[in-house]
Amino acid sequence: MKHKLGYLALPLLMAAAFTTQARADGETIAVFTKNQTNPFFQTVRVGADNMAKVLNAKTLQYIPTKPDSIPEQLSQIEDVVVKKPSAIVFTPVDYKAMVPGVEKINEAKIPVVNITDRSAGGKFLSFVGADDYSLGLETARFLLKTLGGKGNIVIIEGVKGSLTNVDRVRGFNDALKENAGAKLLASQPGNYQRLQALQVMENLMQSNSQIDGVLAANDAMAVGAIEALDGANRKAQVIGINGTKEAIDAIKSGKLLASGDYNGFAQGCLGTMMAIRSLRGQPVISEIVLKPTVITKDNYQPFDVPLEQRTCPTFEDAGKLGGK
């Protein structure tokens, strides 16, 4: 409920928080994510909240009300520069378009950590993300192995031009090249949104009588594709990426074949950790790229834990998870 209230009245809550919640013995970390519609970013926010609580700090969530809105995130940056939190954990809604916003944060001398989507410019204390290419490659390899290296395949892409989409789809396509018996029927964007992916899948089914596999660039779109398949009473193997709760539930029920673990919880934890450690004059890791894991019906159990019950990695764990 705490988060739901934040979404409904975010601007007012943010303003109030800066004036009433700042504590003398703790830092205020502004956390920027891309939208409220992709469950992945909820895991990022919970991870950030968890780490801030452990380290006796506070978070304030900045979320565009319109998903991935460049003007809205730029406006939120204008706001945060005025409010001056202790530090910022930042996911750009667009890795190129938000560079001027990052430069404003730099000019305001507010320390900032980049997470999830690597910014094309600006100065950051640290980057925390995952290997999108490997996630695409390994999840697609698993799908094609399940299909015996053959079949009619469709790709539902994320936002065209976004780094995560470019790298994940490149991984999908490289896995397809490894399997001469597989045929790519179409590759169309669903913009990381469940409803758009559902509509894309409905259109693809109308023009293709046989679809054996669906490579979706995130879990929300994979769920949308499954809903379209169910609506048409058709079957296909579907994979997603992010390892969200809805993906784990779908894997358990047999609806989803697999998901690549993007580990948003760890990204939120570690991004916030690096920001706070820097503020306290402690060493930080300049780059953490989390290693890929393909979550299936055979290994989902460690991921089937409610977000609120998860524990953030330690600083020592961070290096093992992918520190550079």
Side-chain angles (χ1 to χ4, degrees):
M1 179 60 82
K2 176 183 176 183
H3 293 296
K4 193 172 291 184
L5 285 172
Y7 301 156
L8 292 172
L10 190 62
L12 289 176
L13 286 182
M14 289 190 301
F18 274 114
T19 56
T20 63
Q21 292 184 5
R23 299 182 307 175
D25 60 343
E27 299 88 350
T28 302
I29 310 299
V31 180
F32 281 69
T33 46
K34 296 168 73 171
N35 57 62
Q36 302 175 25
T37 54
N38 186 343
F40 167 78
F41 290 109
Q42 175 61 4
T43 70
V44 173
R45 292 188 282 268
V46 174
D49 289 347
N50 187 310
M51 181 54 76
K53 184 177 180 181
V54 168
L55 297 178
N56 196 29
K58 293 275 190 186
T59 60
L60 294 168
Q61 305 290 349
Y62 277 80
I63 314 164
T65 54
K66 182 180 178 183
D68 298 23
S69 169
I70 292 172
E72 195 170 350
Q73 191 172 70
L74 283 171
S75 175
Q76 290 178 334
I77 287 174
E78 297 281 354
D79 181 71
V80 86
V81 165
V82 172
K83 302 290 176 50
K84 275 196 173 293
S86 307
I88 295 171
V89 174
F90 187 74
T91 305
V93 297
D94 182 291
Y95 77 106
K96 290 182 180 176
M98 297 313 301
V99 170
V102 175
E103 291 172 344
K104 285 188 178 179
I105 294 171
N106 293 155
E107 289 167 6
K109 300 189 183 308
I110 302 171
V112 55
V113 173
N114 183 195
I115 65 170
T116 307
D117 289 48
R118 194 187 295 266
S119 173
K123 297 176 182 176
F124 295 92
L125 295 170
S126 177
F127 171 76
V128 181
D131 185 341
D132 288 288
Y133 171 77
S134 295
L135 283 166
L137 181 69
E138 297 302 330
T139 50
R141 280 176 170 170
F142 186 79
L143 173 81
L144 291 161
K145 181 180 179 182
T146 301
L147 294 174
K150 59 185 179 182
N152 292 331
I153 310 296
V154 298
I155 294 175
I156 303 181
E157 302 187 24
V159 176
K160 285 279 191 183
S162 68
L163 272 184
T164 54
N165 182 64
V166 169
D167 287 345
R168 291 176 186 185
V169 172
R170 185 163 57 89
F172 289 163
N173 281 308
D174 282 354
L176 286 166
K177 291 174 185 173
E178 297 172 350
N179 294 267
K183 180 181 179 182
L184 179 62
L185 299 177
S187 186
Q188 296 184 6
N191 294 320
Y192 289 136
Q193 303 296 316
R194 182 191 61 78
L195 181 57
Q196 290 186 39
L198 184 153
Q199 294 166 340
V200 167
M201 191 67 198
E202 287 176 339
N203 292 334
L204 290 172
M205 287 190 294
Q206 288 179 4
S207 53
N208 296 280
S209 59
Q210 181 65 42
I211 296 175
D212 303 299
V214 180
L215 296 164
N218 79 348
D219 289 335
M221 296 194 299
V223 170
I226 290 169
E227 290 172 342
L229 286 161
D230 286 348
N233 197 28
R234 287 175 59 168
K235 301 289 184 186
Q237 297 286 3
V238 181
I239 65 100
I241 291 177
N242 281 351
T244 59
K245 181 183 184 302
E246 63 180 348
I248 303 302
D249 290 344
I251 289 170
K252 289 164 62 178
S253 69
K255 290 280 189 181
L256 183 69
L257 178 65
S259 176
D261 179 27
Y262 200 47
N263 211 334
F265 183 79
Q267 291 189 36
C269 290
L270 295 174
T272 304
M273 176 196 290
M274 295 307 147
I276 294 172
R277 286 182 66 88
S278 175
L279 292 168
R280 296 178 183 181
Q282 298 171 323
V284 301
I285 301 173
S286 60
E287 182 168 309
I288 301 173
V289 180
L290 303 170
K291 298 170 184 171
T293 298
V294 180
I295 306 169
T296 73
K297 63 180 176 58
D298 295 324
N299 69 351
Y300 73 83
Q301 288 86 354
F303 302 91
D304 190 23
V305 177
L307 286 173
E308 292 73 14
Q309 296 178 19
R310 296 187 186 186
T311 303
C312 279
T314 65
F315 182 69
E316 289 71 27
D317 292 335
K320 300 173 186 174
L321 288 170
K324 294 183 178 179

